[in-house]
Amino acid sequence: MIPANRIVGKQVQFMITCLCDTFYDHVAQASVELLEQVGCLVDVPDGQTCCGQPAFNAGDWESARKVIRHTLRTFTGDQPIIIPSGSCAHMVFHGYQLVFENGTDAEKEAARTLAGRTWEICDFLVNGLGIQTWHGRFDGKISLHRSCHTRGSNTYSAALQLLRSIDGVEILEFDESEQCCGFGGTFSVAYPNTSAAMGTLKIDKLTAVKPDLIGAVDMACMLHLSGLAEKQKRPFRKMHVVEILLQALRNAPTNPPVIHS
Amino acid sequence: MKTSQPIDAFGRDLSQEVKESVYSSSKAKYDKRIGALNAGYIAPDSLRKLAGQIKQHTLENLPSYLESAIGKLEANGAKVHYAKDGEEANATILGIMNAAGATKLIKSKSMVSEEIHLNAFLENNGCESVESDLGEFIVQLDHDMPSHIVTPIVHKNRQQIATTFEKMGLGDYNDDPTTITRRARTYLRKKYLEAEVGLTGANFVSAESGRIVLVTNEGNARFSICANRIHIVLVGIEKLVPRDKDLALFLNLLARSATGQQLTVYTQFINGPKAPDQIDGPGEMHVVFLDNGRSEILAGEFQSILRCIRCGACLNVCPVYRQTSGHAYRAVYPGPVGAVLSPLLAGKRYPEFADLPKASSLCGACNEVCPVDIPLPELLLRHRNKSKLEHIQKASAGTPPLGGWAVLCSTPSMWKSTLTLGKVMDYVPMKLVPVPAVQAWTQTRTLPPFRGGKFRGWYKEHRKHDSGNNQ
Ligand code: SF4
């Protein structure tokens, strides 16, 4: 599903993702700063909007295709595309190919090419750039939520590897780590009872081990989990993995060096 | 909370007790499964992939494998029947019983027989059909429906079972599990001896040898075909594996995936009816291959669902199943496999079941545990697309329309201005927004502060600063 020989390089394009564009600008900003710290030149194509996943998951593939065609037109060139979301990356790897199953050869080719350039950011750091350990310090016990759409990808293991290599970080083991946060896009509003029950259970499990913060590789899961937790008056501290990595560099006793692979 | 999706409503209204027992039994089976796979194998995941490939290969060559199996079965002395649908299968089975002057049948667990409502059909035609699997027996006494394909009574507790036993004259109220089992056993022993016909399903059929493979934990399949004259096997046409030696892989995966056992307690390999030099066993054996929509599935985009070996692992891991229980799915096959299969098996009644594929957050846990690596989330998505194209209301209920959103997302100028305008959203009391999707969200969750366009602004400054530095 994920193409074998994806394009690597330090001149990269950044996909903001609609959620970071709307709610989580600090995650997008941290991602760009992080990429620069590891020596990348980051371009953010201005015309980008959303990857198209909401419509795809809702079953409205016609609308999804419309948005995907736009994305294919926006991310031109042959640079790697870096995404701070396992879910949007999954969409490119999987959904993009599926909606053009009966499409033209050109569409299929474009979808395949885009997948061959696409990286979730943690996967890119470890498996694209070959960074094996991280520099700096971060003090905290972390429950790292395993976002579902990273199944079958290297994202979760990459994130764990980097976090574990940071001085001061403790990764907590918690029960039912394979279970979903209950978001599922439009599922969250079409199945409001089931979705909220799933999320509540997830928060129980994530917080049972008393973490200092909950980490994630996808802000969609965070949108749901923190939204629920706030409503239930039990908010928690949350960080995207890129924020933790960046913070670790900033906490380093020496000035953060540019990390070369 | 108000909901327009029946499965969501079912879960909401489910008693805490049932919810608890479904959840804890699912979780226990999931944990045991992982333990058994990791204890037995270094790379269980590659076994799943291999099993998936073997099954896929079998499906792609099904006609020739079927032909081979039929040839072998006939050579072994079995009579083979083909039933295009449930009606034909039921009629065939009744025909076999009538021809033999038989009216009493004992059954081991068979999901296919549930699919064609065999028990009700036989009873309406003056025959007795008794379930011999303990769970199915209890379901039958209660006129209930199984809620899980491997463990049919996860939704019941022993108090309920004891009450049923008392009502049915199987003894005074006693909810001790051992007593319950002993009573069922005493009752069923008599039935095994009385029955003229034993009906089983088949977990696998080897195309190479025609061997019928049956697995149980109670030994009831073996008992069902001990004391009677006729053995009828009712099996879906997709249950083939190419060779006998493939069974090593499938039997190991099935038991581990279903119940976390290394192997089920009993595994039967049945070649054909009693040979002249054998002392006992049914002298007559019939194999009824059931199509019931499978050929059509085989030819279409949902083909890979026919790889399924009915292990139930996708149910056990599914968070939606765990919250709502098997009965929420209103069909013989619940959970992720059911959400894919049930609408297809419904044929013309597809629209009635078009909501089932929506009962998923598409988390992919089902695919991750499936011993034959069925891409269940992809198949759910294909259903959603199909329902949308066919304008099926049941599927779309509760899902906000996304046409306008698609226009917004393919028009960057509109997108950007919406981002900056969106700020006003922070000042709008969400309770008053008359959009159902917004209400459904905000009843149980808050929305984070709106930050539209902030990143883009930062990035512009950042770039300016950067290029300044470079000069
Ligand atoms: S779909 Fe896969 S996991 Fe589910 S019952 Fe069938 S074989 Fe088991």
Side-chain angles (χ1 to χ4, degrees):
Chain A
M1 196 160 82
I2 299 178
N5 295 308
R6 279 173 294 163
I7 288 177
V8 190
K10 291 206 163 176
Q11 292 219 359
V12 303
Q13 291 177 345
F14 181 66
M15 188 185 281
I16 311 168
T17 75
C18 63
L19 275 184
C20 289
D21 216 355
T22 317
F23 298 118
Y24 301 117
D25 54 312
H26 54 283
V27 173
Q29 185 181 328
S31 303
V32 170
E33 291 182 308
L34 193 74
L35 287 166
E36 290 176 347
Q37 287 286 347
V38 298
C40 289
L41 215 63
V42 186
D43 177 37
V44 183
D46 189 55
Q48 61 179 296
T49 55
C50 167
C51 72
Q53 184 168 193
F56 174 68
N57 284 359
D60 186 355
W61 290 14
E62 200 44 57
S63 294
R65 272 189 286 269
K66 192 181 248 170
V67 179
I68 293 170
R69 285 195 188 100
H70 171 72
T71 304
L72 291 173
R73 280 194 303 268
T74 306
F75 287 86
T76 50
D78 58 1
Q79 300 168 348
I81 299 162
I82 315 301
I83 313 180
S85 154
S87 188
C88 309
H90 174 79
M91 176 65 190
V92 176
F93 297 137
H94 188 241
Y96 279 35
Q97 320 307 313
L98 214 53
V99 295
F100 291 125
E101 205 174 45
N102 303 315
T104 64
D105 286 348
E107 282 168 334
K108 284 187 204 168
E109 179 57 26
R112 257 199 310 272
T113 306
L114 202 81
R117 297 169 55 203
T118 295
W119 294 86
E120 183 283 325
I121 191 162
C122 299
D123 185 19
F124 180 68
L125 294 173
V126 174
N127 302 300
L129 298 181
I131 298 169
Q132 300 301 327
T133 54
W134 199 252
H135 182 74
R137 173 160 201 102
F138 186 94
D139 291 292
K141 288 188 272 195
I142 303 171
S143 287
L144 185 65
H145 170 55
R146 178 191 158 178
S147 297
C148 287
H149 287 168
T150 68
R151 291 177 207 266
S153 81
N154 292 318
T155 290
Y156 192 65
S157 59
L160 276 178
Q161 180 183 340
L162 293 179
L163 290 178
R164 284 202 172 114
S165 73
I166 299 172
D167 283 340
V169 166
E170 187 189 339
I171 299 291
L172 302 174
E173 298 279 334
F174 56 92
D175 196 24
E176 295 184 18
S177 62
E178 85 289 349
Q179 287 287 321
C180 172
C181 74
F183 178 48
T186 52
F187 172 80
S188 62
V189 290
Y191 280 70
N193 300 286
T194 312
S195 165
M198 283 162 66
T200 302
L201 188 64
K202 187 83 229 178
I203 298 168
D204 291 346
K205 301 291 179 188
L206 282 164
T207 54
V209 291
K210 307 244 174 303
D212 298 318
L213 68 114
I214 291 175
V217 287
D218 200 305
M219 293 317 284
C221 313
M222 279 302 197
L223 176 80
H224 191 233
L225 290 172
S226 62
L228 271 173
E230 262 182 38
K231 197 86 172 185
Q232 296 171 6
K233 308 238 176 315
R234 48 168 178 166
F236 53 79
R237 186 175 162 213
K238 61 176 188 291
M239 281 176 102
H240 190 288
V241 171
V242 296
E243 296 178 281
I244 303 173
L245 295 177
L246 192 65
Q247 193 57 51
L249 287 185
R250 290 186 174 149
N251 293 346
T254 53
N255 273 343
V258 170
I259 296 181
H260 293 290
S261 39
Chain B
M1 229 180 309
K2 227 178 87 194
T3 179
S4 34
Q5 285 289 334
I7 294 179
D8 192 46
F10 194 96
R12 178 195 60 198
D13 302 338
L14 198 63
S15 79
Q16 204 47 45
E17 198 188 341
V18 174
K19 217 177 244 187
E20 188 47 48
S21 76
V22 169
Y23 170 75
S24 57
S25 99
S26 304
K27 184 170 153 50
K29 276 180 282 187
Y30 173 83
D31 291 342
K32 268 184 86 179
R33 170 193 164 273
I34 295 255
L37 279 170
N38 288 336
Y41 301 106
I42 303 162
D45 216 39
S46 49
L47 289 182
R48 271 182 348 105
K49 302 256 144 105
L50 177 64
Q53 284 165 359
I54 294 175
K55 267 298 203 181
Q56 188 59 33
H57 160 86
T58 315
L59 293 175
E60 282 162 16
N61 299 279
L62 198 60
S64 69
Y65 281 126
L66 251 182
E67 203 181 295
S68 159
I70 292 172
K72 291 291 174 190
L73 280 164
E74 285 174 343
N76 295 345
K79 289 206 182 77
V80 180
H81 312 257
Y82 172 83
K84 123 173 150 303
D85 53 24
E87 220 172 291
E88 262 190 39
N90 284 334
T92 304
I93 292 164
L94 184 65
I96 296 167
M97 291 184 71
N98 285 344
T103 57
K104 287 181 168 27
L105 178 142
I106 188 123
K107 247 180 84 190
S108 77
K109 188 166 158 28
S110 150
M111 290 312 292
V112 179
S113 73
E114 300 280 347
E115 190 182 315
I116 65 172
H117 308 293
L118 177 66
N119 285 349
F121 173 81
L122 288 178
E123 271 156 34
N124 289 339
N125 284 280
C127 295
E128 181 186 78
S129 175
V130 179
E131 295 285 352
S132 63
D133 172 271
L134 182 58
E136 293 285 348
F137 174 64
I138 292 163
V139 164
Q140 189 178 30
L141 287 182
D142 266 350
H143 301 289
D144 198 358
M145 283 253 297
S147 74
H148 188 288
I149 60 178
V150 175
T151 47
I153 50 166
V154 282
H155 60 288
K156 283 190 198 297
N157 61 31
R158 59 198 162 98
Q159 288 78 15
Q160 291 168 311
I161 298 167
T163 310
T164 303
F165 271 42
E166 188 185 21
K167 204 172 68 199
M168 301 304 288
L170 294 178
D172 298 337
Y173 181 93
N174 188 328
D175 60 19
D176 165 45
T178 312
T179 310
I180 289 175
T181 311
R182 280 197 195 290
R183 284 176 176 173
R185 189 172 158 143
T186 313
Y187 179 86
L188 285 170
R189 286 285 143 110
K190 218 170 69 236
K191 292 292 175 190
Y192 285 124
L193 291 170
E194 282 172 15
E196 298 139 310
V197 179
L199 185 132
T200 69
N203 293 90
F204 305 98
V205 180
S206 160
E208 177 187 43
S209 62
R211 276 201 177 88
I212 303 288
V213 184
L214 284 168
V215 301
T216 68
N217 276 324
E218 298 168 14
N220 58 311
R222 194 173 63 153
F223 258 49
S224 298
I225 52 171
C226 268
N228 32 39
R229 292 182 279 141
I230 302 169
H231 176 200
I232 302 174
V233 181
L234 175 65
V235 56
I237 53 169
E238 82 282 18
K239 282 296 172 86
L240 291 167
V241 294
R243 303 161 303 181
D244 282 10
K245 73 174 181 190
D246 298 322
L247 293 167
L249 175 64
F250 285 103
L251 287 170
N252 274 297
L253 275 179
L254 175 58
R256 284 177 173 82
S257 305
T259 47
Q261 293 166 286
Q262 291 184 319
L263 214 54
T264 35
V265 181
Y266 298 90
T267 307
Q268 256 91 258
F269 301 88
I270 300 158
N271 260 4
K274 181 172 89 78
D277 58 345
Q278 284 172 331
I279 308 166
D280 53 16
E284 208 177 307
M285 179 174 170
H286 297 263
V287 179
V288 183
F289 280 109
L290 175 71
D291 189 315
N292 206 25
R294 287 164 172 76
S295 297
E296 215 170 299
I297 300 174
L298 192 67
E301 59 179 332
F302 299 99
Q303 186 194 61
S304 58
I305 196 62
L306 295 179
R307 291 184 206 163
C308 175
I309 59 172
R310 307 281 189 268
C311 73
C314 61
L315 279 68
N316 302 336
V317 79
C318 175
V320 176
Y321 164 82
R322 285 182 179 189
Q323 293 292 342
T324 60
S325 88
H327 284 165
Y329 294 77
R330 316 189 301 279
V332 173
Y333 303 103
V337 59
V340 175
L341 197 54
S342 303
L344 299 171
L345 291 178
K348 285 201 177 54
R349 289 167 55 218
Y350 182 95
E352 270 177 57
F353 296 94
D355 62 310
L356 266 54
K358 287 286 185 123
S360 169
S361 64
L362 300 170
C363 76
C366 46
N367 170 242
E368 205 168 63
V369 298
C370 176
V372 283
D373 197 26
I374 299 174
L376 289 153
E378 178 188 314
L379 299 180
L380 294 170
L381 280 158
R382 288 181 184 278
H383 269 303
R384 294 178 182 190
N385 176 42
K386 179 175 153 72
S387 289
K388 171 78 185 167
L389 291 174
E390 292 169 11
H391 308 289
I392 301 174
Q393 217 284 325
K394 202 151 189 172
S396 61
T399 300
L402 289 153
W405 167 88
V407 173
L408 177 71
C409 290
S410 41
T411 322
S413 54
M414 226 163 125
W415 173 260
K416 280 189 281 184
S417 53
T418 309
L419 276 185
T420 35
L421 280 177
K423 273 201 289 287
V424 296
M425 291 301 284
D426 272 354
Y427 305 101
V428 177
M430 283 297 164
K431 272 198 211 92
L432 302 180
V433 179
V435 180
V438 173
Q439 286 174 349
W441 177 273
T442 50
Q443 269 192 315
T444 51
R445 310 121 174 146
T446 60
L447 270 174
F450 198 84
R451 305 271 305 167
K454 291 273 191 250
F455 167 75
R456 290 172 188 256
W458 170 83
Y459 178 72
K460 219 180 244 162
E461 282 304 306
H462 179 70
R463 269 318 266 277
K464 245 194 252 161
H465 182 72
D466 256 14
S467 42
N469 278 352
N470 291 344
Q471 275 161 14

